[in-house]
Amino acid sequence: LESIFTNYSIEIVYYHDLDVNSLYKSFILFLRSFFEVGLDAICDNVIVIWVPYAIQAKRLALRDNLSGGEIKKRIGSQMHMEEKVKLADFVIDNTGSKKDLRNKINDLYKLLTSKS
């Protein structure tokens, strides 16, 4: 896995040993090009945070102070959102507030961790 991760900016936002003696670990990764580099093949569950293009573009402009051309280039370099949704095990709608998103993520986290 190290050779896969070396060339990509990956943020591990959660890591948990299910059992000290177990080979099974729990990770939550944040990666823009997750599907493009094939990481979905090594994951038990794939979650896509979905948002329409217009909202995604507006948020990028505000957060990163990008021009229209830069936004199109950044979003265009990624797999289309509709394709990501088709490949996902779970989809979280991110059209609401940050608090709404946090609550949806917490609910899904509880569902997934209750299975172990």
Side-chain angles (χ1 to χ4, degrees):
L1 289 180
E2 188 174 316
S3 63
I4 294 172
F5 294 154
T6 303
N7 296 321
Y8 300 96
S9 172
I10 296 176
E11 178 183 353
I12 298 176
V13 293
Y14 173 80
Y15 170 77
H16 176 70
D17 283 322
L18 297 178
D19 179 337
V20 174
N21 298 315
S22 173
L23 295 175
Y24 298 100
K25 309 280 187 225
S26 179
F27 291 91
I28 296 176
L29 305 173
F30 175 78
L31 177 65
R32 270 188 229 123
S33 300
F34 181 82
F35 292 108
E36 293 84 342
V37 299
L39 288 177
D40 56 311
I42 63 168
C43 294
D44 293 327
N45 293 295
V46 174
I47 304 163
V48 168
I49 308 295
W50 175 85
V51 67
Y53 179 88
I55 294 174
Q56 184 180 15
K58 181 179 177 182
R59 290 177 179 171
L60 272 173
L62 292 171
R63 187 190 71 203
D64 296 347
N65 197 28
L66 298 176
S67 69
E70 291 169 321
I71 291 168
K72 285 182 182 180
K73 183 177 178 182
R74 180 171 298 177
I75 294 174
S77 71
Q78 300 172 32
M79 180 185 289
H80 289 282
M81 185 62 72
E82 294 77 18
E83 292 301 312
K84 291 178 185 180
V85 166
K86 289 177 188 176
L87 296 170
D89 298 302
F90 300 93
V91 178
I92 296 176
D93 182 317
N94 186 17
T95 55
S97 68
K98 286 182 181 180
K99 182 179 179 183
D100 292 336
L101 178 62
R102 190 175 305 112
N103 289 337
K104 291 174 186 179
I105 291 170
N106 285 335
D107 290 345
L108 182 56
Y109 175 79
K110 288 175 189 173
L111 173 74
L112 293 173
T113 55
S114 70
K115 292 181 179 182
S116 50

